[in-house]
């Protein structure tokens, strides 16, 4: 599959990180530790006292996706309040990125709401790549094995896999779907760093991806 414009196969977030959100494609490896998902093999620090109350009170933007674009998240909740708040904001980030691509708006307010610093700059470039190519997205992406490692009251890591076998890029002018063949590269591992802002939102600050990771294969 290839849900992304080729020129943006890799967008640097930092020296060892690259943006590969909501995209299928070329099979490159963006991480040396390509089968290990951040947070998946570690429990959250039970001594961390971060509170989800500020996050619950924050006024979030309403994100609406067209009926042909769906994101499914597993698990949605863990039963642990702080981790659940982090997972909710991560899911909204993913949906905001898709909404920005559909709207062809790299500065979509909802996307800016859930990103900061390097993460914001890279997300903007990512959406701009779709816009420049005249592409949008369609289909269903399944995000699974989502796990959180809480590092402090304002810092956490998230690891998860994406099944993009039913998600595609679509040429806006013609409606043509690109790269519909399912391969091992239709499955991607993500390592994400998030930071809690003053409003209680867990914002994306860094992300690395590994396409074709063995740990995410069906």
């Amino acid at each position: 599959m290839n849900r992304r414009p080729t020129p943006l196969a890799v967008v640097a977030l930092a020296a060892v990180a690259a943006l590969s959100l909501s995209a299928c494609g070329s099979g490159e490896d963006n991480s040396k530790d390509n089968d290990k998902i951040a947070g998946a093999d570690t429990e959250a620090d039970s001594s961390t006292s971060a509170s989800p109350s500020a996050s619950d009170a924050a006024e979030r933007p309403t994100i609406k996706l067209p009926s042909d674009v769906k994101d499914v998240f597993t698990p949605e909740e863990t039963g642990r309040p702080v981790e659940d708040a982090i997972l909710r904001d991560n899911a909204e980030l993913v949906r905001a990125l898709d909404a920005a691509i559909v709207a062809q708006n790299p500065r979509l307010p909802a996307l800016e709401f859930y990103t900061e610093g390097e993460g914001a700059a890279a997300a903007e470039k990512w959406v701009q790549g779709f816009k420049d190519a005249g592409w949008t997205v369609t289909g269903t992406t399944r995000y699974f094995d989502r796990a959180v490692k809480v590092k402090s009251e304002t810092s956490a890591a998230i690891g998860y896999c994406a099944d993009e076998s039913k998600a595609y890029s679509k040429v806006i002018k013609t409606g043509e779907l690109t790269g519909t063949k399912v391969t091992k590269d239709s499955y991607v591992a993500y390592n994400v760093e998030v930071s809690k802002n003053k409003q209680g939102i867990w914002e994306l600050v860094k992300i690395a991806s590994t396409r074709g990771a063995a740990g995410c294969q069906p």
Side-chain angles (χ1 to χ4, degrees), residues 104-118:
Q104 299 284 281
N105 182 3
R107 299 296 301 274
L108 189 74
L111 183 57
E112 294 183 336
F113 186 86
Y114 289 105
T115 59
E116 178 61 32
E118 294 175 347

Side-chain angles (χ1 to χ4, degrees), residues 94-167:
V94 172
R95 296 178 71 249
L97 185 59
D98 278 349
I101 293 172
V102 170
Q104 299 284 281
N105 182 3
R107 299 296 301 274
L108 189 74
L111 183 57
E112 294 183 336
F113 186 86
Y114 289 105
T115 59
E116 178 61 32
E118 294 175 347
E124 181 179 341
K125 286 184 178 180
W126 187 255
V127 177
Q128 186 65 49
F130 277 88
K131 183 177 181 180
D132 291 345
W135 289 12
T136 186
V137 291
T138 188
T140 299
T141 304
R142 183 173 64 94
Y143 298 92
F144 61 100
D145 289 348
R146 302 168 77 216
V148 177
K149 170 64 177 179
V150 179
K151 298 179 179 180
S152 72
E153 291 189 358
T154 59
S155 177
I158 314 170
Y160 54 94
C161 294
D163 172 3
E164 300 171 340
S165 61
K166 296 181 180 179

Side-chain angles (χ1 to χ4, degrees), residues 15 18 22 28 46 50 53 74 88 93 96 98-99 107 112 121 174 179 185 194 196 201 206 210:
S22 190
E28 72 277 14
S46 60
S53 58
T74 306
R88 283 195 298 269
L93 161 70
D98 278 349
R107 299 296 301 274
E112 294 183 336
T174 66
D185 291 327
V194 294
K196 188 177 182 180
I201 305 301
K206 290 184 180 180
T210 302

Side-chain angles (χ1 to χ4, degrees), residues 15-18 28-37 191 208-211 213:
V16 295
E28 72 277 14
D29 186 341
N30 294 329
S31 169
K32 291 182 179 179
D33 193 6
N34 63 354
D35 292 333
K36 191 172 183 179
I37 306 173
N191 294 278
S209 69
T210 302
R211 189 161 299 284

